[in-house]
Amino acid sequence: MSRNDGMNYAPKHEAKPVVGPGEFIIAAIALDHGHIYGMCNGLVEAGAQLKWVYDPDQEKVKAFTAAYPGVRVARSAEEILEDPEVRLVAAAAVPSERGPLGLRVMAHGKDYFTDKAPFTAIEQLEAARVQAEKTKRKYMCYFSERLHVESAVYAGHLIRQGAIGRVLQVIGMGPHRLNAPSRPGWFFQREKYGGILCDIGSHQIEQFLYYTGCRDAKVLHSKVANYNHTAYPELEDFGDATLVGDNGATQYFRVDWFTPEGLGTWGDGRMIIMGTEGYLELRKYTDLARSNTPDHVFWVDSQGEHYEQVAGKIGFPFFGELILDCLQRSELAMTQAHVFKAAELCLTAQSQALNLTPDSLR
């Protein structure tokens, strides 16, 4: 697992199978983003059997089969889609291609698990809503900054236990390291990656809905900019937004591509969650200048001040819950409405964003 490159960040944990061997067969299609490894790691650790892989780029397939020995290489996506044993397809396609691929997967009677952002256009979201209702298949999304971060999972436990009372506000900071030379061409094409609020901003909005328990929200303000990357005119290297939920809770978040080279990890992701009875802070990937280790949780309540470093202690329950949801047609891991609402708000924030890019960079 690379701690310096967020694109190839793929956490691992001890295996905790929720099914027996061969009970839940999955496949991987489209290896355009390194998150496919985190997605497959989580599912395999929860007991899924990875049967197939397909991508037209043979170098990507070679690397994938080296990481997952025994996986079969399909001759086409159709070979996977037509296999009746496959229950779920995991995919990390170019963002603009994720929605259309999901429609194909669901049309073949399989559940779909895509990397974030799940869509780059509102038309894709609406088509997926129709297809999910028609086929009764799942369109799930890998919001890794909550699902695959133990401090974020632990925060959810604390909030559900009432540790800080009712959540009133969520402040999120999602800086990322650009590593421009290592990025594929589509990463810098606005039509293909969708914009910064649609892309890495999706993590922040999903967490807001989850921690506050909101089913709906409004985007009050949003902004984007390309402040410092003239070589990539379609890149947005900064974005922020303010939201208010249907229960009155609010959010402010900022995302950017300005992580300096001196930081020991790909981004100093942080979150402050304020409640009626206390507040907590997550230092997800590092404790700056003190400990280059992940998953630091600080919180204050009526009993006092608390701190715990939870890396390796909590695990990633989402993946096992997702497998059981697919088998039982339940919604324990994540509801379909939650996925689609998070996606809708990201697309809204992106579409109405004020562009602050200096004239000299436009």
Side-chain angles (χ1 to χ4, degrees):
M1 179 177 68
S2 173
R3 283 179 48 77
N4 289 317
D5 182 3
M7 189 165 182
N8 294 305
Y9 185 71
K12 293 183 178 182
H13 203 267
E14 65 178 300
K16 293 183 178 180
V18 299
V19 291
E23 290 184 26
F24 192 76
I25 307 297
I26 66 171
I29 296 177
L31 312 179
D32 295 285
H33 198 293
H35 281 173
I36 191 66
Y37 290 93
M39 298 161 71
C40 290
N41 287 350
L43 289 167
V44 170
E45 289 163 3
Q49 179 181 329
L50 181 57
K51 181 177 179 179
W52 293 104
V53 63
Y54 173 73
D55 190 279
D57 186 329
Q58 292 306 303
E59 288 302 313
K60 289 187 175 72
V61 171
K62 183 178 179 181
F64 190 87
T65 55
Y68 301 102
V71 65
R72 297 167 61 179
V73 178
R75 291 166 293 184
S76 65
E78 284 68 28
E79 187 172 10
I80 292 172
L81 296 177
E82 294 172 4
D83 183 347
E85 288 190 339
V86 174
R87 293 180 176 269
L88 177 144
V89 171
V94 173
S96 61
E97 300 171 6
R98 291 169 185 171
L101 177 57
L103 299 183
R104 292 174 61 197
V105 171
M106 291 189 289
H108 282 80
K110 305 180 191 309
D111 294 313
Y112 182 57
F113 184 37
T114 179
D115 190 18
K116 64 77 212 160
F119 311 101
T120 56
I122 196 69
E123 295 80 9
Q124 295 175 355
L125 167 59
E126 295 306 327
R129 279 182 163 140
V130 171
Q131 187 78 314
E133 178 61 29
K134 176 182 177 181
T135 63
K136 306 303 180 186
R137 296 297 96 186
K138 294 182 182 293
Y139 192 113
M140 290 290 105
C141 185
Y142 180 58
F143 294 111
S144 58
E145 290 187 24
R146 179 175 68 83
L147 305 177
H148 234 158
V149 173
E150 286 180 282
S151 55
V153 175
Y154 190 56
H157 295 336
L158 290 174
I159 290 169
R160 285 195 299 273
Q161 293 165 8
I164 62 171
R166 178 167 57 90
V167 175
L168 303 177
Q169 186 188 43
V170 178
I171 299 175
M173 303 295 179
H176 287 59
R177 176 170 287 132
L178 184 59
N179 281 336
S182 70
R183 300 285 179 175
W186 59 258
F187 180 87
F188 302 101
Q189 298 174 39
R190 176 65 172 71
E191 184 179 355
K192 292 186 175 182
Y193 80 88
I196 193 169
L197 297 179
C198 177
D199 181 20
I200 54 178
S202 64
H203 291 297
Q204 302 296 325
I205 291 177
E206 188 276 333
Q207 288 174 97
F208 168 63
L209 295 177
Y210 175 76
Y211 289 131
T212 61
C214 293
R215 295 186 179 183
D216 200 357
K218 294 181 180 179
V219 179
L220 300 181
H221 309 283
S222 57
K223 304 186 291 293
V224 297
N226 181 343
Y227 280 130
N228 200 44
H229 292 88
T230 55
Y232 308 104
E234 294 186 38
L235 176 70
E236 294 167 353
D237 57 24
F238 173 90
D240 71 2
T242 304
L243 285 77
V244 59
D246 55 7
N247 62 4
T250 64
Q251 178 189 34
Y252 170 79
F253 74 86
R254 187 202 78 220
V255 287
D256 65 74
W257 293 101
F258 285 108
T259 293
E261 290 302 315
L263 189 71
T265 186
W266 56 268
D268 187 6
R270 299 194 185 198
M271 184 160 283
I272 298 174
I273 305 173
M274 183 185 75
T276 54
E277 308 297 330
Y279 64 91
L280 61 84
E281 179 185 350
L282 311 180
R283 300 181 188 177
K284 292 184 175 182
Y285 310 112
T286 188
D287 190 8
L288 187 63
R290 299 201 305 178
S291 175
N292 187 23
T293 57
D295 296 305
H296 300 267
V297 183
F298 304 80
W299 75 99
V300 184
D301 57 20
S302 60
Q303 304 302 311
E305 303 171 5
H306 312 275
Y307 163 75
E308 191 166 356
Q309 204 250 336
V310 299
K313 301 176 182 178
I314 307 301
F316 307 112
F318 168 83
F319 300 93
E321 293 171 352
L322 176 59
I323 289 173
L324 294 177
D325 280 347
C326 292
L327 292 173
Q328 300 168 6
R329 310 319 295 172
S330 52
E331 290 193 311
L332 179 61
M334 186 180 293
T335 69
Q336 190 62 78
H338 177 86
V339 174
F340 287 159
K341 181 55 65 174
E344 177 189 325
L345 292 169
C346 295
L347 293 167
T348 300
Q350 185 69 55
S351 66
Q352 70 180 43
L354 176 66
N355 193 330
L356 304 178
T357 302
D359 290 340
S360 61
L361 295 180
R362 296 195 186 197

